Amino acid sequence: MLNMKSDNGIRISPEIFGVQFHPEAHPEGMRYHYQKENVKQKIIDEHGGEKYEYLLEQLEDPEKVELTQKTVLPKFIESAILNLQG
């Protein structure tokens, strides 16, 4: 049961907090994942080759990595810690 929404995600229960994953937080791992033939083909089949190439390009954008690592992740961790502290 969803009972609370924050600017960082959705509280599903006192123990579970759902957030959107930002692949730019770990571009090397996501590049490896997206280059697996079955993953690559699925993306191309569902969204096209241009979208696949765009996805890979976005993993190289240092502004996205910096934003995620300096803003999104710390805010999420801070929110989680405050919630645990009550």
Side-chain angles (χ1 to χ4, degrees):
M1 173 183 205
L2 302 177
N3 59 15
M4 184 177 113
K5 183 177 183 221
S6 82
D7 58 347
N8 296 324
I10 297 175
R11 170 120 356 250
I12 298 167
S13 74
E15 301 82 18
I16 301 173
F17 191 76
V19 297
Q20 178 179 1
F21 174 67
H22 291 269
E24 66 273 15
H26 189 253
E28 298 86 12
M30 292 310 301
R31 177 172 294 284
Y32 173 78
H33 174 72
Y34 289 142
Q35 289 179 330
K36 293 178 183 174
E37 193 55 40
N38 64 324
V39 174
K40 175 182 178 179
Q41 195 57 52
K42 182 176 181 183
I43 293 169
I44 291 172
D45 290 347
E46 293 179 10
H47 305 284
E50 283 185 38
K51 186 68 170 186
Y52 176 76
E53 292 300 324
Y54 176 78
L55 179 70
L56 293 179
E57 288 172 15
Q58 294 303 297
L59 293 172
E60 299 296 324
D61 187 339
E63 290 180 13
K64 291 188 180 347
V65 173
E66 183 177 351
L67 176 66
T68 298
Q69 292 178 347
K70 290 187 176 182
T71 305
V72 176
L73 296 176
K75 286 188 77 153
F76 167 73
I77 292 169
E78 178 184 356
S79 176
I81 289 170
L82 290 173
N83 185 60
L84 288 172
Q85 292 173 341

